[in-house]
Amino acid sequence: TCALPIFEGATALTAVTLPDSVTNIGERAFYNTGLTSLSIPDSVTQIGELAFAKNPIQTLQIGSGLEQQNNVGAGAFYGLCPTLESVSINSPHALGRGSRVTKQLPWYQYNFSLGPPSLRGDYIYSGLHFTRGPLRLEGYLGRYSHPAYQYQATNQDSASVEQCVNLTSISFGDAVISIGEHVFTELTGLTSLIIGESVTNIDSNALTGATALTSLTIPDSITSIANNTFNGFSSLSTIEIPNTVTHIGDNAFTGALSLTSIDIPNSVISMGAGAFSNTGLTSINIPNSITSIATQAFEGATALTAVTLPDSVTNIGERAFYNTGLTSLKDRKSTRLNSSHSSVSRMPSSA
């Protein structure tokens, strides 16, 4: 057990070996060191607040011992994103931004002349994630004018502290079951993403800004694609949806400009609003398991020229195919099209 911040501020410390005997890493144990690589063994079941915050880690491996988000103290990996290049995680349910706490962050300077003690500090979040999250000051400015809610802080981090622009490889191992919200953001350099065979859900906004990722395999263990899961994956050209998936969430593939084709399996029974909006799709076959096309489902897919609607579809939502490139629409139940809601308006004149 590393219970005390015994290595805090050891900026010359670039490497550490944690033996399998270690089960707990305490608060600020390795805060603000020079670590460039880190491997946390399966034996570690608890990590304290700010334990590895503000380290220039490039290569990170985290074992399977961290079961839940509350096993990872708030801000434990705060500020790592700018230097991260490769990450491998095998923790079952610890991934994601968890509960919020208010804490005086050691790299900030606060003016405590105003406000009650309960408000003296900033927000940080538990769980295995690499995002900053909203600071308390950002939440209170513009909302409260009473002096009791005002405080000042300097040296606060900008959003760049959570932008993982150098991270090229992420692997979620087979022990991972759930991937929570806001794990990584601004993954503009990501070219490899491996999702383990035991993952059952990926929450909304878990991975954002992956504009360079070209292909992805979704394991059969996934049953639902959440809202915004692959939103903004503009280079994604190859993805296979397994026949275990029953729902595709709102804006799940919005902005996937390189995605020209996709097979939606018969297992899918519902698609959310804007699920495939502003994509590069050229044609789409809606499976007969679908009964409703959601609002803005394909809006802005300007390369989409052909759509086949099965008899099972009974409703087509507002702006579902608005501003696409449709020249061919096979719909044997034309009464489903709600022209007053612009379901298929702004089709090319040759349609």
Side-chain angles (χ1 to χ4, degrees):
T1 299
C2 301
L4 298 174
I6 53 178
F7 299 103
E8 178 176 331
T11 55
L13 180 64
T14 60
V16 63
T17 300
L18 298 174
D20 291 340
S21 57
V22 174
T23 59
N24 179 68
I25 299 174
E27 181 175 343
R28 294 171 62 162
F30 293 91
Y31 162 67
N32 193 30
T33 70
L35 287 178
T36 58
S37 65
L38 175 64
S39 180
I40 299 175
D42 295 342
S43 59
V44 174
T45 58
Q46 192 76 34
I47 296 179
E49 294 180 356
L50 305 177
F52 295 99
K54 295 288 187 174
N55 280 296
I57 293 174
Q58 299 170 1
T59 303
L60 176 64
Q61 294 181 320
I62 300 176
S64 59
L66 299 167
E67 286 283 343
Q68 305 291 336
Q69 290 179 355
N70 60 11
N71 295 131
V72 184
F77 296 93
Y78 185 106
L80 268 61
C81 251
T83 57
L84 281 177
E85 297 176 0
S86 175
V87 172
S88 176
I89 297 172
N90 208 23
S91 306
H93 297 284
L95 282 158
R97 191 192 294 169
S99 58
R100 186 182 74 189
V101 300
T102 301
K103 190 177 184 66
Q104 296 177 29
L105 303 181
W107 56 91
Y108 292 169
Q109 296 175 357
Y110 297 95
N111 177 2
F112 292 142
S113 60
L114 298 173
S118 61
L119 298 180
R120 294 177 180 178
D122 247 307
Y123 294 153
I124 51 174
Y125 304 80
S126 67
L128 188 48
H129 68 95
F130 303 85
T131 57
R132 185 198 69 171
L135 297 173
R136 189 177 71 81
L137 182 61
E138 294 173 338
Y140 277 85
L141 283 180
R143 292 175 58 193
Y144 302 105
S145 58
H146 192 280
Y149 292 100
Q150 301 305 305
Y151 84 107
Q152 296 177 351
T154 58
N155 300 325
Q156 287 188 297
D157 291 312
S158 67
S160 63
V161 76
E162 63 179 355
Q163 295 172 355
C164 300
V165 296
N166 295 308
L167 184 54
T168 61
S169 173
I170 298 174
S171 175
F172 297 117
D174 289 340
V176 175
I177 297 173
S178 61
I179 301 174
E181 296 181 349
H182 305 292
V183 181
F184 293 102
T185 188
E186 294 297 323
L187 293 165
T188 55
L190 188 69
T191 56
S192 175
L193 174 61
I194 298 174
I195 302 173
E197 294 295 329
S198 300
V199 174
T200 59
N201 66 284
I202 303 174
D203 287 352
S204 60
N205 299 300
L207 312 162
T208 66
T211 55
L213 190 69
T214 60
S215 63
L216 179 63
T217 299
I218 300 176
D220 292 342
S221 52
I222 295 284
T223 58
S224 178
I225 298 175
N227 300 346
N228 299 301
T229 301
F230 305 111
N231 189 332
F233 284 35
S234 57
S235 296
L236 187 65
S237 59
T238 304
I239 187 168
E240 183 176 342
I241 301 176
N243 59 12
T244 53
V245 171
T246 60
H247 174 70
I248 299 174
D250 296 351
N251 302 303
F253 292 94
T254 295
L257 299 174
S258 300
L259 190 64
T260 59
S261 65
I262 192 168
D263 291 327
I264 302 176
N266 284 325
S267 58
V268 175
I269 60 176
S270 62
M271 293 190 298
F276 294 96
S277 60
N278 299 302
T279 60
L281 291 174
T282 58
S283 64
I284 191 73
N285 290 323
I286 308 297
N288 57 20
S289 54
I290 296 288
T291 59
S292 178
I293 308 296
T295 300
Q296 299 175 287
F298 298 94
E299 179 176 340
T302 56
L304 183 62
T305 58
V307 170
T308 300
L309 298 176
D311 292 342
S312 58
V313 172
T314 58
N315 179 69
I316 297 176
E318 182 176 349
R319 297 172 62 155
F321 295 94
Y322 172 74
N323 196 27
T324 67
L326 282 180
T327 59
S328 173
L329 175 63
K330 296 181 180 180
D331 175 28
R332 287 172 289 183
K333 293 184 178 180
S334 59
T335 55
R336 295 174 293 183
L337 299 178
N338 190 342
S339 59
S340 65
H341 286 163
S342 305
S343 294
V344 292
S345 60
R346 288 194 67 179
M347 292 168 59
S349 59
S350 58

